Amino acid sequence: MPSNPVAALSIDRLTTAAPSGDRSALGRVTVLALVGVLLGAMIISMTTGASGASSGSVMASWFGLAPADEMQALRDHAVIYNIRLPRMVLGMLIGAALAMSGLLMQGLFRNPLADPGLVGVSAGAGLGAVGIIVLGTTALAPLTAFLGIYTLQLASFAGGLITTFILYRVATRAGQTAIATMLLAGIALGALAGAITGVLVYIATDSQLRDLTFWGLGSLSGANWTKVMASGPIILAALVAAGFMSRGLNALTLGEATAGHLGIPVQRFKRVVVVAVAAATGASVAVSGGIGFVGIVVPHLLRLVIGPDHRYLLPASALLGASFLLLADAISRIVVAPAELPIGIVTAAVGGPFFLWILLRKRAAFAW
C-alpha cells in the first residue's frame, strides 16, 4: 500500500477511469443495497429449519414478554441459539471468505478465471483437512493433541498455503505471472492433491468414509459455536487484511511495473495476498468442505455491475458472498425437509446456470 497520499490518489483515478464513466456512486449504492440484502438473508436463515422453531418466541423473551407455551419457548431458544445462530454466523463468514478469496486471486493473477477452486487451492486445503480426519487419531495424533480444536483449520490452512505458494512460484518468472502456466499448474496441483486425498480415502474406516463423503459435498449442518470460534478468528483476520488491499489490487490491474512506480511494494504485497487467500480458503474448507462457485460467480457479477474498482468490489463481494451462502443454505434445508441437501450441490446448481447466463448475456461487453 502506498504511503504517499498523492500516489494513492493517482492509483484510484487511474483504475476507476472505466470506459463507461465513473462508477463510484454506483459502487457506493450497491454496497449499501447489499447490506439490506444480507439483513434479509439473515432473517431467512434464522427462520428456516425443520424444527419449526419460532424466532418470535425468542424475541419475546428478549423484551421480557411471557411466552404462551414455556416448554416450546425453551425448545425454540435452544434451537435458535445453539443451532441456527452459529450456523448463520459460520455461513456468513464462509460465504464472505470464499467470495473475497476469488476476488483476491483474480486481482493477483489479473485473470477472471482465477479461483481457489479452479486453480487447486481448495484441493490443497481439502487435502490438509482429510489428512487430519483420517490420520488424526493414529499417525498425526501428537499433532492433533498439541493443536487441539484448531488442528483441522490449521492443517487446511497449511495445505492451501503450500498449494498457493507452489502455484505462484511455478506460474511466475522474472516478476511476471504467466496466466496459461498458472491455470495448467493449478490443474496439475489439484489433480495431485486429489490423488493423495484418494489414497487417504482408500485407507479410511467406514465411519470416516461417511464423514468424508458429506464433507466433500460441502455442508453447514455440523455448525456449532466451537467451529465458529476455531475458524472465525482466522477468517476475520483474512477479511480485515483484505480490506486494506484495494489500492494495491487496483494498481496491479495496470501491471506490476506500473504498480511499483506508483509506490506499491509489489512482491511483499503479493505475498500478503497469498497468505490471506490461503487462510480464508483453508479455514472455510476445514469446517464446510468443498463449496464451489461462490468465489467465481460473486466477483464476476459485481464486476459487471460496478466495474473493476476494488474499493467497492471488496466490501460488495464479502456482503454478496455471505448473502449467497445463507440463501443457498436455506434452500438446502427446504428442498428435501426434514433432511438437508449438501450446500455444495445447491451452489453448483444455482451458480453454474447463473454464471452461464451472465456470460451469454454480457459476452459482447465482457472485458476485465
Side-chain angles (χ1 to χ4, degrees):
M1 282 69 76
S3 56
N4 186 347
V6 176
L9 182 61
S10 300
I11 294 171
D12 293 337
R13 285 182 175 175
L14 284 169
T15 55
T16 56
S20 58
D22 188 359
R23 293 180 170 177
S24 296
L26 180 59
R28 287 191 289 269
V29 171
T30 302
V31 171
L32 289 175
L34 288 174
V35 172
V37 172
L38 178 58
L39 291 175
M42 291 169 64
I43 293 173
I44 293 173
S45 177
M46 287 295 292
T47 55
T48 302
S51 69
S54 168
S55 299
S57 63
V58 176
M59 293 182 68
S61 68
W62 288 353
F63 294 99
L65 301 177
D69 187 331
E70 189 172 350
M71 290 302 295
Q72 183 177 351
L74 289 174
R75 187 207 64 172
D76 292 353
H77 187 280
V79 168
I80 289 173
Y81 277 97
N82 298 328
I83 297 177
R84 292 186 185 175
L85 191 56
R87 185 171 184 147
M88 183 192 72
V89 173
L90 201 61
M92 290 170 58
L93 289 172
I94 292 173
L98 294 177
M100 293 272 281
S101 297
L103 179 63
L104 291 178
M105 291 209 72
Q106 290 156 24
L108 176 65
F109 291 108
R110 301 196 299 280
N111 188 285
L113 293 179
D115 171 76
L118 292 180
V119 297
V121 179
S122 294
L127 173 59
V130 171
I132 291 299
I133 292 173
V134 177
L135 303 176
T137 57
T138 54
L140 300 178
L143 180 65
T144 304
F146 177 72
L147 297 177
I149 63 171
Y150 296 100
T151 305
L152 195 63
Q153 287 72 26
L154 292 177
S156 187
F157 166 65
L161 182 63
I162 293 171
T163 307
T164 309
F165 178 76
I166 295 174
L167 176 71
Y168 177 74
R169 294 292 296 176
V170 171
T172 303
R173 186 174 183 180
Q176 299 297 320
T177 302
I179 302 305
T181 304
M182 182 267 292
L183 292 175
L184 293 174
I187 292 171
L189 289 171
L192 179 59
I196 300 174
T197 300
V199 173
L200 292 172
V201 170
Y202 182 77
I203 64 175
T205 63
D206 289 344
S207 62
Q208 289 172 340
L209 278 177
R210 179 176 174 80
D211 292 340
L212 289 172
T213 299
F214 283 97
W215 176 86
L217 292 172
S219 177
L220 297 176
S221 60
N224 54 45
W225 289 116
T226 300
K227 289 186 176 181
V228 173
M229 294 305 295
S231 293
I234 300 175
I235 295 176
L236 280 177
L239 293 176
V240 170
F244 294 96
M245 297 177 183
S246 61
R247 287 191 172 88
L249 293 171
N250 281 345
L252 280 181
T253 63
L254 304 172
E256 293 186 7
T258 304
H261 290 309
L262 290 171
I264 302 297
V266 175
Q267 296 304 320
R268 188 176 67 188
F269 177 75
K270 289 194 294 187
R271 285 194 291 270
V272 173
V273 173
V274 166
V275 172
V277 169
T281 304
S284 300
V285 169
V287 293
S288 67
I291 299 177
F293 278 99
V294 180
I296 195 165
V297 169
V298 170
H300 275 302
L301 176 61
L302 290 169
R303 195 176 285 115
L304 290 171
V305 174
I306 63 177
D309 190 347
H310 288 85
R311 290 179 299 169
Y312 305 108
L313 278 177
L314 283 167
S317 293
L319 291 167
L320 185 57
S323 303
F324 178 62
L325 205 64
L326 286 184
L327 294 175
D329 182 49
I331 293 172
S332 75
R333 285 183 274 170
I334 293 172
V335 172
V336 293
E340 294 182 13
L341 275 179
I343 195 171
I345 295 176
V346 178
T347 58
V350 175
F354 188 62
F355 189 48
L356 284 174
W357 175 78
I358 292 174
L359 290 176
L360 292 173
R361 192 167 183 267
K362 298 288 186 179
R363 57 184 172 182
F366 193 86
W368 189 76

